[in-house]
Amino acid sequence: MTILKDKVAFISGGAEGIGRAVVERFIREGAKVAVLDLNQEKLAQLQARYPDDICSVCGDVTNYSDNHKVVELAVERFGKLDIFVGNAALFDFFAPLSRIAPEKLEASFNKLFQVNVLGYMNGVKAAMDQLKQNHGSIVLTVSNSGFYPGGGGVLYVTSKHAVVGLIKQLAYELAPEIRVNGVSPGATDTEMKSVEGISSKARPLNHIPDFNENAANAVPLKKIASPEDHTALYVLLAANEQSPMTTGTVIHSDGGWIAR
Ligand SMILES: NC(=O)c1ccc[n+]([C@@H]2O[C@H](COP(=O)([O-])OP(=O)(O)OC[C@H]3O[C@@H](n4cnc5c(N)ncnc54)[C@H](O)[C@@H]3O)[C@@H](O)[C@H]2O)c1
C-alpha cells in the first residue's frame, strides 16, 4: 500500500478518533505526517509509535500561528508539504436553539465556529503556498450534519453546512493548482467532545448510553462506523493519481442518510 509514497501531509485533530485513523492510514500508504492537536498525551503516544513518520505540534487550530508552526515543521523535517486534512472539531451535544441559554449563545457560537470553521481556514491559509507549489490536495472532514438536520444541534449543523460552502469556495479559489474536497462521516464510534457549557448532560459522544445502537438503527446500513471505515476515502481524495478530476465535492461515508 503505497498510494501516498513520498507525500507529506498536515492533519489537524490527528491525536484521536477519525483524525488518528487517517494519520495511521496515511503512514501505511507511505506518507509522512505532521499533526496539530491539543492533546499532548495522545500526541506523545503517536510520536512514540511512529518516530520516523510523524512530527507534531501541541496547539490550537483556532490559532493561526500554531498552524503555521506545523507547516514550518513539516518542511524542516520532511522537506515539503503536499496534503492538508482539516479535521479537528467540537460537537454541541445536539442542543436545539430553544435550549441554549441566551447568555451562553454568543460564547458557544464563537467557540464552536472558531474551531469547526476558522480552524480549517487557518490550516488552509498556512498550508496554501506549499500546496500550490506541489500541486497538492486538501481534504476537510464534514459530517452528515453538513447536509441534513437532526444529527447535531443548531450550532454544529450550521458549522458543518459552512464547511461544505468552504470546500466549494476554496475549490474555486485555489484551482487549478490545488484540489479541495471533503469526506462526510456519519455517526462514528469516537469520544468527540462538545463545546463547554452547552448542556449539563454533555459527555463524549460514545459515552452516551445506547449511542452505538441508536446510531446504527438510524441509517439504512444499520451500522455505526469505526474511525477506520472512512480512511480509504481520505486517501482517494488526497492522491492526485486517484482522483485527478475531482474538486469541490464531498464523499458521503454515513451509512446512507440520503436513502433514509
Ligand atoms: N464522531 C462522529 O460521530 C462524527 C460524525 C461526523 C463527523 N465527525 C467529524 O469528524 C472529525 C473528527 O471528530 P472525532 O469524532 O474523531 O472527534 P475526536 O474528539 O475523537 O477527535 C478530535 C481531535 O481533535 C482535537 N481537537 C479538538 N479541538 C481542537 C483544537 N481547538 N485544536 C487542536 N486540536 C483539537 C482533539 O484533541 C481530538 O484529538 C470532526 O470534524 C467531526 O465533526 C465526527
Side-chain angles (χ1 to χ4, degrees):
M1 297 209 289
T2 52
I3 293 173
L4 299 177
K5 189 168 181 302
D6 298 329
K7 298 292 181 199
V8 182
F10 164 7
I11 302 180
S12 77
E16 280 191 274
I18 295 170
R20 174 157 180 143
V22 175
V23 169
E24 295 192 309
R25 181 68 186 259
F26 274 30
I27 291 171
R28 289 204 301 281
E29 296 288 353
K32 305 289 187 197
V33 183
V35 182
L36 173 60
D37 203 290
L38 282 174
N39 190 326
Q40 185 144 36
E41 196 188 322
K42 292 271 164 69
L43 276 181
Q45 285 171 10
L46 202 57
Q47 192 80 61
R49 183 144 185 217
Y50 302 101
D52 299 329
D53 301 310
I54 279 184
C55 60
S56 64
V57 170
C58 183
D60 194 322
V61 294
T62 66
N63 186 342
Y64 175 76
S65 70
D66 286 349
N67 288 269
H68 186 63
K69 265 189 222 158
V70 181
V71 175
E72 283 190 326
L73 186 65
V75 173
E76 185 190 311
R77 181 80 198 279
F78 302 127
K80 60 173 182 156
L81 185 72
D82 306 285
I83 298 159
F84 170 64
V85 176
N87 169 76
L90 285 175
F91 195 51
D92 64 358
F93 212 71
F94 307 99
L97 188 56
S98 58
R99 292 230 203 103
I100 303 174
E103 65 277 12
K104 295 220 166 125
L105 182 57
E106 187 180 350
S108 303
F109 175 94
N110 287 344
K111 179 68 186 174
L112 191 138
F113 268 73
Q114 276 178 17
V115 176
N116 294 12
V117 185
L118 177 64
Y120 286 3
M121 277 193 212
N122 278 337
V124 172
K125 180 102 183 127
M128 195 182 277
D129 290 348
Q130 272 292 316
L131 299 189
K132 204 163 208 172
Q133 208 172 301
N134 300 325
H135 285 253
S137 177
I138 293 170
V139 187
L140 303 181
T141 302
V142 192
S143 163
N144 54 291
S145 291
F147 300 89
Y148 314 104
V154 69
L155 296 178
Y156 185 73
V157 169
T158 49
S159 77
K160 289 298 183 177
H161 274 66
V163 171
V164 175
L166 183 64
I167 288 167
K168 292 179 190 169
Q169 178 66 18
L170 290 176
Y172 174 72
E173 287 186 17
L174 301 179
E177 291 90 354
I178 307 172
R179 296 181 307 111
V180 186
N181 293 290
V183 174
S184 182
T188 306
D189 188 2
T190 74
E191 294 197 335
M192 191 179 189
K193 316 278 187 306
S194 286
V195 65
E196 244 172 71
I198 189 101
S199 160
S200 57
K201 293 187 187 141
R203 60 187 80 182
L205 207 54
N206 60 4
H207 296 202
I208 300 170
D210 303 324
F211 174 71
N212 287 13
E213 199 185 337
N214 291 338
N217 283 331
V219 290
L221 292 185
K222 297 287 175 232
K223 181 182 174 295
I224 183 164
S226 71
E228 293 71 28
D229 288 337
H230 311 299
T231 59
L233 300 177
Y234 288 83
V235 175
L236 175 78
L237 293 171
N240 288 339
E241 296 73 18
Q242 303 294 318
S243 53
M245 285 303 288
T246 304
T247 195
T249 197
V250 180
I251 302 183
H252 297 249
S253 184
D254 62 10
W257 269 66
I258 200 167
R260 292 201 321 169

